Amino acid sequence: MDIKLFFLGLCALFCIFRPLSAQSTCKLKAKFNLGGYKDVEKKTVVVGGMFPVHKRVASNKGNTSSVPLSSGCVGFNFRTFRWAQTMLFAIKEINARQDLLPKTDLGYVIYDSCFTISKAVEGTLTYLTGQDEAVPNYRCGDGAPLAALVGAGGSDLSIATARILGLYHFPQVSYCSTCSALKSKFQFPTFLRTIPNDEHQSTAMAKMVLHFGWTWVGTIAADDDYGKYGIKDFKDQVEQAGVCISFSETLPKVHSPEAIHRIVQTVIDSTAKIIVVFSSDVDLSPLINELLRNNVTNRTWIASEAWITSALISQPPGVSSVLAGTLGFGVKRADIPGLQHHLLNLDPYADLLTEEFWETLFNCTLDYSKALRMAKQRATYVNGTLSRTVTGLPDGLCTGQESVAQLNNTYSDVSQLRITYSVYKAVYAVAHALHNLEHCEPGKGPFVGKTCADINNFEPWQLMYYVKNVRFKMPNTGEEIFFNDGDVEGFYDIINWQVNHNGEISYVTVGNYNGSAAPGDRMTIMNDSIVWNNDMLEPPRSVCSENCQPGTRKGIRQGEPVCCFDCIPCADGEISNTTDARECILCTGDFWSNAAHDACVPKLIEFLAFGEPLGITLIAISAFGALVTIAVGVLFIMHIGTPLVKANDTLLSFSLLFSLVVTFLCSIVFLGEPQHWSCMTSQVALALGFALCLSSIIGKAAVLMLRAQVLKAARARAKAAAKAAKAAARAAAEAAANDGSPDVIVTNTLHNDTSAPAIPEVDRLTCAHQRAIAAVATLIQAIACTVWLIILPPHPVKNTSGQNTKIILECDEGSVIFICCIFAYDILLALLAFIFAFIARKLEDYVSEAKCLTFGMLVFFIVWISFVPAYLSTRGKFMVAVQIFAILASSFGLLTCIFLPKCYILLIKPDRNKEELMKPRPKPKDGTSTGTSASLATTATEATIATTAIDD
């Protein structure tokens, strides 16, 4: 039992001394160096504020050999200092009002975030602790309760502070944090803002780009959440609409001359004339200075609300040459009565921050000893004594009576109170929430049991309820303020930077954007009021490639954005009738593209017409040939009883002439627009005409061939008889010599066998045979043509594939097999006629008809062999012309070669038109002529063999 009591005592001692031991080991890790304003004594509620009064923290050498100190801030910003003064003015104004928090006196704690996240976190922790030494997760002291934090400046600063404040459900109302990431109530449950969400601004920028037809833009964003989220939303929207991003650059948060120079070079090298910038004025300022040094002009800048009305950007000397014509979006502007008086009547000795403002503004110091030291450093010694400048008031000492109003400074400029007005609204939102909390009626409260919160002792989450549900109207402007899930309506003025008569930038409102309006009515732009860069009145063009006009299509360049393309002319037969067509449209059927390739027009209809010069010429030649052939026929009729006409069958001669008339005239049927009757007539008439012509020639040539064969056989027999006679004579002479009778000479009587023997007067082939050959050969062709016309007759067609721009009206043969067979048959007849005539070519007479037929067929073959390549190499109506020329040439060739010699005899040499001259001539042994051809029709003459005795 004693042991148990002993251990129980040890445990009690351990529990008692453990907290004491822990307290003895706790120590403050750091003391923050924060500047700002503070007034919490005897105040009912304290409102926090955070403003980036300075541009950055002072550089830290990173020395770890000594105790680290919280960095100070450098780069005083007059614009943001005005924001801080606006909060002080609003609290002062609220405390003076009797209708708003009449029994409550607001205090304030305002810190300088120095535009850095670390300072914003320091200020947040210090504010929550309630004393200068921040103790995380503790509220030290028993002063007035904390209401809300107004701040903390840029979006990245607010994100950092909102994460901390959200842990304690502490309300935060921002005046210029627009990043769309802050809308997430899961991450930032207590964050609200009096400035529109950047989703509205990104949409407004995208609509502006599309409104002016810009498809090739560059983007520049600050290296923080504000820039990254804003430019991402913008790019997503414009890229979906077909806009291309030429370049996308990021501004460094830490000053880097190399990075700034690289961005400037990118801007210079790019062909994009439109550059969208999502950045604060502090981050953008180094880039603007570098652009001025490089004189980068002829660009139009699209500004976000963070710098569109910033004097830091618009007031540097010469900036108008670079930024004149800038378009941007500014939040709502308003006049705040009494604010300018407050700004101009500051006490420079009231606090350190105001003192720094005064010294920076007037470039002097309020510290006498410091001014004296500076004067001594600048003074020169004369004979070992100080100059008179040091003996009086030192140079650079501020009197504290300087006039702020006399300086043209962004601090005192109240003409563009936009972010300032947002600060003003944020303070009033907190005040109205406190007012609603204070005037809660017991039993009607919003909390558990319908209780109310105590204005002197409330929890942050209780005030948060009233802040997010607040609804009030601003004094003087009458604007109704309320939060929709922590955001306000997205309303912007569209501002154009124009150069005034003093050469300075002035902000001119040229439109507005209302994100809560109907989609078609959200943006209003007065195009005529905009003055563009270089004082141009027309919007600049910013495209990677010019629009492809009708008649061309877009050809995408490999490895480049879709806005960069080549305009490729549409191919023949294709058109595009819209601008920037992606594909050309194929003209179909009877249509073809015009010269500009922007419309399909009907194709030209082509055929060899009667009335055109070529058609008239062919008709004239055909008619001439037919008339000449008819004239030859008339001539033959006039001399029908003469031997020349009767020779080798008169009827065949007339059938040959008739067929030539048919071929001459059928060529005319090939002319004109093809019709069903003309297609059938032309081909059939041509096939039958040549069949009759060639079969007639075969009939004539066959007789001549047989005569030549008979003559050849007779000559062979005569030659054999001559050889036998010579042998007999030689034998007789030898016998006489052997008998010893030298005085007697014996001669033999021999037939003159060197002459051809007699040829029969009657030919093997009679005229009936010749006519039968011609009739049968022609009938076969007629039957084939009849079958062709019944089964697959030729018909007119529109040939749209022969020539792209024309429709060729021509005759379709119906069946290639049929027409090949029909004209192959004509070729067979032609070959037979040529072979027969060629065999009979050596038959000798005064007319030489066999040779005429041979030459006629040679001309026929030459013409049609030449026709094939000529026909295949031509198109359209000229194919018909080539075919007609071949028909006419072959017909003229046959007519000339066969009938011209006969016409010559009939007209010029009628004395040769005799019976005996129509028969073949014998061929002498020595090859010379021996007389008329009648000698071959009589018997051979006999030579006598005389034996004469000569006496010695």
Tab-separated table of all heavy atoms in Angstrom, residues 777-810:
chain	number	residue	atom	x	y	z
A	777	ALA	N	-18.192	-10.183	-149.986
A	777	ALA	CA	-17.377	-9.487	-148.982
A	777	ALA	C	-18.147	-8.323	-148.365
A	777	ALA	O	-18.092	-8.096	-147.156
A	777	ALA	CB	-16.076	-8.997	-149.629
A	778	THR	N	-18.878	-7.595	-149.202
A	778	THR	CA	-19.663	-6.461	-148.686
A	778	THR	C	-20.830	-6.943	-147.845
A	778	THR	O	-21.169	-6.330	-146.815
A	778	THR	CB	-20.158	-5.604	-149.843
A	778	THR	OG1	-19.051	-5.203	-150.665
A	778	THR	CG2	-20.873	-4.365	-149.335
A	779	LEU	N	-21.440	-8.058	-148.258
A	779	LEU	CA	-22.583	-8.589	-147.515
A	779	LEU	C	-22.175	-9.031	-146.114
A	779	LEU	O	-22.922	-8.828	-145.153
A	779	LEU	CB	-23.193	-9.758	-148.300
A	779	LEU	CG	-24.445	-10.389	-147.661
A	779	LEU	CD1	-25.571	-9.370	-147.553
A	779	LEU	CD2	-24.891	-11.603	-148.490
A	780	ILE	N	-21.012	-9.635	-146.029
A	780	ILE	CA	-20.534	-10.043	-144.693
A	780	ILE	C	-20.417	-8.827	-143.775
A	780	ILE	O	-20.838	-8.851	-142.612
A	780	ILE	CB	-19.177	-10.774	-144.809
A	780	ILE	CG1	-19.371	-12.115	-145.548
A	780	ILE	CG2	-18.555	-10.995	-143.440
A	780	ILE	CD1	-18.072	-12.823	-145.861
A	781	GLN	N	-19.845	-7.756	-144.303
A	781	GLN	CA	-19.723	-6.532	-143.493
A	781	GLN	C	-21.093	-5.962	-143.147
A	781	GLN	O	-21.311	-5.483	-142.033
A	781	GLN	CB	-18.888	-5.497	-144.260
A	781	GLN	CG	-18.595	-4.222	-143.491
A	781	GLN	CD	-17.609	-4.411	-142.365
A	781	GLN	OE1	-17.917	-5.128	-141.415
A	781	GLN	NE2	-16.446	-3.786	-142.478
A	782	ALA	N	-22.018	-6.023	-144.090
A	782	ALA	CA	-23.365	-5.497	-143.841
A	782	ALA	C	-24.058	-6.286	-142.741
A	782	ALA	O	-24.745	-5.709	-141.875
A	782	ALA	CB	-24.174	-5.526	-145.124
A	783	ILE	N	-23.887	-7.609	-142.755
A	783	ILE	CA	-24.510	-8.428	-141.707
A	783	ILE	C	-23.915	-8.079	-140.343
A	783	ILE	O	-24.630	-7.924	-139.347
A	783	ILE	CB	-24.329	-9.920	-142.032
A	783	ILE	CG1	-25.121	-10.286	-143.300
A	783	ILE	CG2	-24.759	-10.785	-140.852
A	783	ILE	CD1	-24.853	-11.695	-143.799
A	784	ALA	N	-22.589	-7.938	-140.283
A	784	ALA	CA	-21.932	-7.601	-139.020
A	784	ALA	C	-22.407	-6.245	-138.496
A	784	ALA	O	-22.671	-6.074	-137.302
A	784	ALA	CB	-20.414	-7.609	-139.208
A	785	CYS	N	-22.535	-5.283	-139.399
A	785	CYS	CA	-22.998	-3.952	-138.983
A	785	CYS	C	-24.441	-3.998	-138.498
A	785	CYS	O	-24.807	-3.297	-137.540
A	785	CYS	CB	-22.864	-2.968	-140.141
A	785	CYS	SG	-21.148	-2.550	-140.552
A	786	THR	N	-25.257	-4.825	-139.149
A	786	THR	CA	-26.657	-4.938	-138.723
A	786	THR	C	-26.747	-5.514	-137.312
A	786	THR	O	-27.513	-5.023	-136.463
A	786	THR	CB	-27.428	-5.812	-139.706
A	786	THR	OG1	-27.332	-5.251	-141.020
A	786	THR	CG2	-28.895	-5.920	-139.302
A	787	VAL	N	-25.979	-6.569	-137.064
A	787	VAL	CA	-25.964	-7.157	-135.712
A	787	VAL	C	-25.484	-6.129	-134.693
A	787	VAL	O	-26.030	-6.012	-133.589
A	787	VAL	CB	-25.072	-8.412	-135.701
A	787	VAL	CG1	-24.936	-8.949	-134.279
A	787	VAL	CG2	-25.641	-9.480	-136.618
A	788	TRP	N	-24.456	-5.365	-135.081
A	788	TRP	CA	-23.908	-4.327	-134.181
A	788	TRP	C	-24.979	-3.288	-133.844
A	788	TRP	O	-25.162	-2.925	-132.683
A	788	TRP	CB	-22.699	-3.687	-134.879
A	788	TRP	CG	-22.045	-2.574	-134.101
A	788	TRP	CD1	-22.038	-2.397	-132.769
A	788	TRP	CD2	-21.313	-1.483	-134.655
A	788	TRP	NE1	-21.332	-1.267	-132.438
A	788	TRP	CE2	-20.880	-0.686	-133.570
A	788	TRP	CE3	-20.976	-1.108	-135.966
A	788	TRP	CZ2	-20.124	0.465	-133.760
A	788	TRP	CZ3	-20.216	0.032	-136.139
A	788	TRP	CH2	-19.796	0.819	-135.056
A	789	LEU	N	-25.711	-2.837	-134.865
A	789	LEU	CA	-26.723	-1.809	-134.627
A	789	LEU	C	-27.889	-2.324	-133.798
A	789	LEU	O	-28.530	-1.566	-133.065
A	789	LEU	CB	-27.243	-1.277	-135.963
A	789	LEU	CG	-26.243	-0.480	-136.808
A	789	LEU	CD1	-26.887	-0.055	-138.115
A	789	LEU	CD2	-25.750	0.743	-136.023
A	790	ILE	N	-28.164	-3.625	-133.885
A	790	ILE	CA	-29.286	-4.181	-133.134
A	790	ILE	C	-28.908	-4.408	-131.671
A	790	ILE	O	-29.673	-4.083	-130.757
A	790	ILE	CB	-29.759	-5.492	-133.786
A	790	ILE	CG1	-30.366	-5.205	-135.168
A	790	ILE	CG2	-30.777	-6.209	-132.897
A	790	ILE	CD1	-30.705	-6.456	-135.947
A	791	ILE	N	-27.714	-4.966	-131.460
A	791	ILE	CA	-27.332	-5.355	-130.096
A	791	ILE	C	-26.796	-4.157	-129.301
A	791	ILE	O	-27.337	-3.793	-128.256
A	791	ILE	CB	-26.288	-6.487	-130.152
A	791	ILE	CG1	-26.914	-7.723	-130.817
A	791	ILE	CG2	-25.815	-6.832	-128.743
A	791	ILE	CD1	-25.944	-8.875	-130.977
A	792	LEU	N	-25.728	-3.548	-129.741
A	792	LEU	CA	-25.095	-2.430	-129.021
A	792	LEU	C	-24.791	-1.305	-130.004
A	792	LEU	O	-23.656	-1.156	-130.473
A	792	LEU	CB	-23.799	-2.895	-128.341
A	792	LEU	CG	-23.970	-3.839	-127.145
A	792	LEU	CD1	-22.616	-4.399	-126.722
A	792	LEU	CD2	-24.615	-3.111	-125.966
A	793	PRO	N	-25.791	-0.544	-130.364
A	793	PRO	CA	-25.556	0.491	-131.380
A	793	PRO	C	-24.746	1.648	-130.817
A	793	PRO	O	-24.761	1.919	-129.612
A	793	PRO	CB	-26.978	0.926	-131.725
A	793	PRO	CG	-27.757	0.698	-130.476
A	793	PRO	CD	-27.168	-0.551	-129.870
A	794	PRO	N	-24.020	2.355	-131.641
A	794	PRO	CA	-23.332	3.577	-131.193
A	794	PRO	C	-24.355	4.629	-130.755
A	794	PRO	O	-25.474	4.678	-131.274
A	794	PRO	CB	-22.581	4.034	-132.449
A	794	PRO	CG	-22.488	2.834	-133.317
A	794	PRO	CD	-23.731	2.045	-133.044
A	795	HIS	N	-23.952	5.451	-129.788
A	795	HIS	CA	-24.854	6.469	-129.268
A	795	HIS	C	-24.035	7.663	-128.778
A	795	HIS	O	-22.852	7.521	-128.433
A	795	HIS	CB	-25.701	5.912	-128.128
A	795	HIS	CG	-24.872	5.351	-126.995
A	795	HIS	ND1	-24.373	4.052	-127.037
A	795	HIS	CD2	-24.435	5.890	-125.828
A	795	HIS	CE1	-23.683	3.818	-125.941
A	795	HIS	NE2	-23.696	4.912	-125.187
A	796	PRO	N	-24.654	8.845	-128.732
A	796	PRO	CA	-23.915	10.028	-128.276
A	796	PRO	C	-23.712	10.001	-126.764
A	796	PRO	O	-24.586	9.573	-126.014
A	796	PRO	CB	-24.805	11.194	-128.701
A	796	PRO	CG	-26.177	10.614	-128.768
A	796	PRO	CD	-26.005	9.188	-129.187
A	797	VAL	N	-22.537	10.469	-126.312
A	797	VAL	CA	-22.217	10.554	-124.888
A	797	VAL	C	-21.515	11.876	-124.613
A	797	VAL	O	-21.015	12.550	-125.523
A	797	VAL	CB	-21.320	9.379	-124.433
A	797	VAL	CG1	-22.045	8.061	-124.528
A	797	VAL	CG2	-20.012	9.356	-125.220
A	798	LYS	N	-21.509	12.220	-123.320
A	798	LYS	CA	-20.749	13.388	-122.857
A	798	LYS	C	-19.459	12.891	-122.211
A	798	LYS	O	-19.475	12.256	-121.159
A	798	LYS	CB	-21.551	14.193	-121.840
A	798	LYS	CG	-22.793	14.861	-122.407
A	798	LYS	CD	-23.512	15.645	-121.314
A	798	LYS	CE	-24.747	16.342	-121.868
A	798	LYS	NZ	-25.455	17.115	-120.810
A	799	ASN	N	-18.369	13.180	-122.842
A	799	ASN	CA	-17.070	12.772	-122.311
A	799	ASN	C	-16.548	13.887	-121.400
A	799	ASN	O	-16.118	14.938	-121.869
A	799	ASN	CB	-16.096	12.512	-123.457
A	799	ASN	CG	-14.750	12.006	-122.967
A	799	ASN	OD1	-14.497	11.933	-121.774
A	799	ASN	ND2	-13.876	11.647	-123.909
A	800	THR	N	-16.607	13.637	-120.082
A	800	THR	CA	-16.136	14.638	-119.127
A	800	THR	C	-14.730	14.361	-118.629
A	800	THR	O	-14.172	15.160	-117.873
A	800	THR	CB	-17.084	14.689	-117.914
A	800	THR	OG1	-17.139	13.388	-117.305
A	800	THR	CG2	-18.481	15.122	-118.337
A	801	SER	N	-14.156	13.241	-119.022
A	801	SER	CA	-12.827	12.887	-118.536
A	801	SER	C	-11.731	13.202	-119.534
A	801	SER	O	-10.561	13.256	-119.170
A	801	SER	CB	-12.776	11.395	-118.190
A	801	SER	OG	-13.069	10.608	-119.339
A	802	GLY	N	-12.091	13.417	-120.760
A	802	GLY	CA	-11.070	13.685	-121.771
A	802	GLY	C	-10.346	14.994	-121.519
A	802	GLY	O	-9.124	15.072	-121.564
A	803	GLN	N	-11.102	16.048	-121.263
A	803	GLN	CA	-10.534	17.354	-120.940
A	803	GLN	C	-11.281	17.904	-119.731
A	803	GLN	O	-12.518	17.836	-119.667
A	803	GLN	CB	-10.648	18.318	-122.128
A	803	GLN	CG	-9.792	17.897	-123.323
A	803	GLN	CD	-9.766	18.965	-124.390
A	803	GLN	OE1	-9.874	20.143	-124.093
A	803	GLN	NE2	-9.610	18.548	-125.636
A	804	ASN	N	-10.510	18.460	-118.782
A	804	ASN	CA	-11.106	18.880	-117.519
A	804	ASN	C	-12.120	19.993	-117.689
A	804	ASN	O	-13.157	20.009	-117.035
A	804	ASN	CB	-10.005	19.322	-116.554
A	804	ASN	CG	-9.121	18.167	-116.147
A	804	ASN	OD1	-9.571	17.027	-116.081
A	804	ASN	ND2	-7.855	18.442	-115.878
A	805	THR	N	-11.811	20.945	-118.545
A	805	THR	CA	-12.636	22.145	-118.625
A	805	THR	C	-13.740	22.035	-119.662
A	805	THR	O	-14.503	22.983	-119.839
A	805	THR	CB	-11.765	23.363	-118.963
A	805	THR	OG1	-11.112	23.145	-120.223
A	805	THR	CG2	-10.711	23.585	-117.894
A	806	LYS	N	-13.821	20.907	-120.340
A	806	LYS	CA	-14.777	20.795	-121.434
A	806	LYS	C	-15.558	19.496	-121.330
A	806	LYS	O	-15.072	18.496	-120.807
A	806	LYS	CB	-14.057	20.840	-122.787
A	806	LYS	CG	-13.302	22.145	-123.045
A	806	LYS	CD	-12.560	22.076	-124.360
A	806	LYS	CE	-11.758	23.363	-124.615
A	806	LYS	NZ	-11.003	23.299	-125.877
A	807	ILE	N	-16.763	19.559	-121.856
A	807	ILE	CA	-17.561	18.353	-122.076
A	807	ILE	C	-17.520	18.072	-123.579
A	807	ILE	O	-17.993	18.877	-124.380
A	807	ILE	CB	-19.009	18.547	-121.613
A	807	ILE	CG1	-19.054	18.815	-120.112
A	807	ILE	CG2	-19.849	17.338	-121.969
A	807	ILE	CD1	-20.440	19.110	-119.592
A	808	ILE	N	-16.913	16.983	-123.943
A	808	ILE	CA	-16.757	16.644	-125.355
A	808	ILE	C	-17.925	15.762	-125.762
A	808	ILE	O	-18.109	14.664	-125.228
A	808	ILE	CB	-15.429	15.920	-125.598
A	808	ILE	CG1	-14.256	16.801	-125.124
A	808	ILE	CG2	-15.278	15.570	-127.067
A	808	ILE	CD1	-12.930	16.090	-125.145
A	809	LEU	N	-18.735	16.263	-126.676
A	809	LEU	CA	-19.840	15.471	-127.208
A	809	LEU	C	-19.287	14.569	-128.305
A	809	LEU	O	-18.765	15.041	-129.307
A	809	LEU	CB	-20.934	16.387	-127.758
A	809	LEU	CG	-21.600	17.330	-126.747
A	809	LEU	CD1	-22.693	18.125	-127.427
A	809	LEU	CD2	-22.150	16.564	-125.567
A	810	GLU	N	-19.389	13.286	-128.095
A	810	GLU	CA	-18.837	12.331	-129.044
A	810	GLU	C	-19.717	11.097	-129.099
A	810	GLU	O	-20.662	10.954	-128.316
A	810	GLU	CB	-17.409	11.952	-128.636
A	810	GLU	CG	-17.319	11.325	-127.252
A	810	GLU	CD	-15.895	11.069	-126.828
A	810	GLU	OE1	-14.994	11.629	-127.481
A	810	GLU	OE2	-15.680	10.316	-125.867
